[in-house]
Amino acid sequence: MHGRFPGGASATIAADAAKITVTPAQILVGGSLCMVMTLAALAWPHVSSVLLLSLQVGFLAVVAWRLLTVLVLLRPIGPPTSYSPPAHLPRYSIVVALYDEAAILPQLVNRLARIDYPTELLDGYLALEAHDRATISAAEALTLPDWLHVLVVPPGVPTTKPRALNHALSIVRGELLTIYDAEDDPDPLQLREAAARFAAEDGDLVCLQAPLRIRRLDKSRDASPFLDRQFAAEYAALFEITLPAMARMGLPFPLGGTSNHFRVSALRALGGWDAWNVTEDADLGFRIWRRGWRLDVLSRPTYETPPGDLAHWLPQRTRWLKGYMQTLATHTRSASGMGWRGWGAMAMTLGAGLASAALHALSVAWLGAFLLMTLMTGRLLATPWLGLSILLCGTAAALLSTAIGARRAGTPYGPRDMLAAPFYWSLLSLAFAHAFVRLIAEPHRWDKTAHRPDVAREESAQFLEPLVTDAGRAAA
């Protein structure tokens, strides 16, 4: 793994690299490139054809990439490896950064209490913002497990989740660490699996990503069937197909925002998370790679709820796409430590994700206009067969990957969902445009996703009762 660095030297990107969104050099190079291409296309018409062909070749590469991940993951490589638990389990730290989450705290604490790991080896923290008095009061109203503590993050800037995580990182006592989100429901045996994997692997493996699966227990609350089903299938394609395939190929990948398991010593050596990057998880995956370390995936999942209707989905997706832009901007400042495999992985994840989001709505509109004009004129118009073929192949590859991922995750995804998928993808273009504007106007603003308890009605009473010391205060 270290062989990709010239002379064995390691390379890092500063832990606060996203504080500067783009450098003057990046602005100069990017602006000059756009201007030259625009002027060349206006002066010489054939340049436009070359640019269009280049774009089509790029999307053919994305199609091939999607098919490759499916083939890599489905190719048998022998019986699965059985990882025995270490003779002495390490101390494990759990950190949950929370803001404005008073309502969901009882559900979260109950789920954390179910974790199957020796309690004397657990070291947990609810990292709360100092000005978030409602959540602090709600936490103090609960009887927490002995190993779980309230940690108030001192005031400061930026007011982001990664800043709170970095404060917790400075005091945790575990050898291993994982982070969870407010709505998470992790598999109780997830920590044991991660501990066994770290014990069995060499020190180059410093991070394990658990699969994230989307479900909604209480379908009467904030349900948006179209967005919920598409969001769940999208997660399935990412966490059941793409990331496991990249791990099998030994490539870096953007981490999910939760259920990352780390060696604490390595995480501290990296400087923790970039507090200025609104997708600190995506950035950290590639900083790990630059340092010469490896990432892999776990099998035991963490369940999450979908964001809900468009008013909640759009800010979350805007933040993700804005963070992808931040991460690309910071990592393209230096080539040291990436290598062609690192650049390829970044291009096929962050780059392809941004490009696809930017062009989805245009592609759907172009195809719709083509079909409408054909129906209106009663004859087949002049057809750009190459572009149409690439568009259809890309759609087929995306649906194939999503369908297989959904089946592995147990997520419903049928023909109706496939027919509706292009309309969901078109919404990504709305989020992309919003993210681009926000990157310029408010690059470090954290668009928080609202969370509410997701407990089936018949379970809610018994679910909350054991840990609540004052039912009135908890309800408030």
Side-chain angles (χ1 to χ4, degrees):
M1 182 61 67
H2 291 283
R4 70 173 181 270
F5 299 120
S10 64
T12 59
I13 288 290
D16 61 350
K19 187 174 183 178
I20 300 175
T21 305
V22 289
T23 64
Q26 287 176 306
I27 295 174
L28 179 62
V29 171
S32 300
L33 186 60
C34 291
M35 183 179 296
V36 168
M37 289 192 300
T38 301
L39 293 176
L42 293 174
W44 298 286
H46 68 275
V47 172
S48 299
S49 300
V50 172
L51 293 176
L52 179 60
L53 181 61
S54 300
L55 184 64
Q56 291 171 335
V57 170
F59 274 90
L60 272 178
V62 175
V63 172
W65 167 255
R66 287 185 180 274
L67 295 176
L68 177 62
T69 58
V70 172
L71 292 174
V72 166
L73 193 62
L74 297 183
R75 179 174 59 88
I77 56 173
T81 304
S82 177
Y83 295 95
S84 302
H88 301 284
L89 287 171
R91 180 177 293 276
Y92 223 118
S93 293
I94 300 173
V95 179
V96 189
L98 302 168
Y99 178 68
D100 194 19
E101 300 286 10
I104 206 171
L105 259 179
Q107 171 184 288
L108 170 67
V109 172
N110 273 275
R111 289 174 172 178
L112 293 178
R114 297 175 183 171
I115 290 175
D116 184 356
Y117 204 82
T119 56
E120 67 273 13
L121 296 177
L122 286 175
D123 171 48
Y125 301 90
L126 302 176
L128 311 180
E129 298 291 341
H131 60 280
D132 185 11
R133 297 306 310 173
T135 308
I136 293 174
S137 297
E140 291 173 346
L142 297 175
T143 301
L144 303 178
D146 291 341
W147 55 268
L148 186 60
H149 314 284
V150 174
L151 175 65
V152 178
V153 180
V157 293
T159 52
T160 60
K161 170 186 171 182
R163 176 179 170 272
L165 293 177
N166 284 336
H167 179 70
L169 179 62
S170 68
I171 66 169
V172 297
R173 298 176 296 149
E175 299 172 48
L176 303 178
L177 175 146
T178 188
I179 61 170
Y180 291 123
D181 280 346
E183 78 278 21
D184 283 358
D185 186 7
D187 185 296
L189 294 173
Q190 191 179 106
L191 268 60
R192 288 184 178 271
E193 182 189 4
R197 288 288 305 278
F198 280 125
E201 301 275 358
D202 59 38
D204 278 353
L205 177 67
V206 302
C207 178
L208 292 165
Q209 172 69 60
L212 305 181
R213 294 177 182 168
I214 303 300
R215 72 179 182 191
R216 187 185 291 280
L217 295 176
D218 187 357
K219 294 179 173 57
S220 66
R221 183 185 293 276
D222 298 328
S224 176
F226 167 68
L227 288 176
D228 286 0
R229 291 174 71 93
Q230 294 293 334
F231 187 84
E234 184 183 26
Y235 256 50
L238 177 63
F239 288 100
E240 309 295 334
I241 300 294
T242 302
L243 298 193
M246 295 182 75
R248 185 174 290 187
M249 290 187 281
L251 296 174
F253 51 81
L255 298 172
T258 176
S259 305
N260 323 130
H261 298 255
F262 300 97
R263 296 187 194 270
V264 171
S265 58
L267 189 56
R268 284 174 171 161
L270 287 167
W273 293 266
D274 186 343
W276 299 90
N277 192 317
V278 297
T279 52
E280 77 294 337
D281 43 357
D283 166 73
L284 187 57
F286 290 101
R287 282 203 286 126
I288 288 172
W289 170 263
R290 283 180 180 269
R291 191 64 177 260
W293 292 327
R294 292 187 295 117
L295 308 91
D296 211 328
V297 295
L298 296 170
S299 64
R300 295 190 176 274
T302 293
Y303 291 95
E304 293 192 318
T305 53
D309 58 25
L310 186 63
H312 295 95
W313 177 90
L314 183 59
Q316 182 187 68
R317 188 50 56 98
T318 296
R319 173 168 58 83
W320 291 356
L321 292 174
K322 183 174 72 172
Y324 282 8
M325 296 176 193
Q326 285 182 314
T327 302
L328 282 176
T330 57
H331 282 273
T332 51
R333 295 173 195 168
S334 170
S336 180
M338 284 293 280
W340 69 268
R341 297 171 72 231
W343 288 123
M346 182 173 283
M348 289 296 107
T349 52
L350 306 186
L354 287 170
S356 298
L359 296 174
H360 273 315
L362 292 175
S363 300
V364 172
W366 173 78
L367 182 59
F370 174 79
L371 294 175
L372 181 62
M373 291 299 293
T374 299
L375 291 173
M376 292 177 63
T377 60
R379 60 186 178 85
L380 186 64
L381 303 179
T383 306
W385 291 111
L386 178 60
L388 185 60
S389 299
I390 292 175
L391 181 60
L392 294 177
C393 287
T395 300
L399 292 176
L400 174 66
S401 174
T402 304
I404 296 175
R407 183 174 181 179
R408 292 169 65 95
T411 297
Y413 194 70
R416 289 185 180 180
D417 299 303
M418 295 181 185
L419 290 173
F423 299 99
Y424 176 76
W425 300 339
S426 296
L427 289 175
L428 296 175
S429 297
L430 175 63
F432 176 86
H434 195 198
F436 185 78
V437 173
R438 295 292 296 278
L439 182 71
I440 298 171
E442 298 176 303
H444 306 118
R445 179 179 174 83
W446 189 276
D447 291 305
K448 184 186 176 303
T449 305
H451 300 121
R452 293 185 182 182
D454 182 46
V455 185
R457 291 183 213 173
E458 62 272 14
E459 300 176 1
S460 59
Q462 62 179 1
F463 191 74
L464 297 179
E465 185 177 5
L467 294 178
V468 177
T469 58
D470 184 332
R473 292 176 65 189

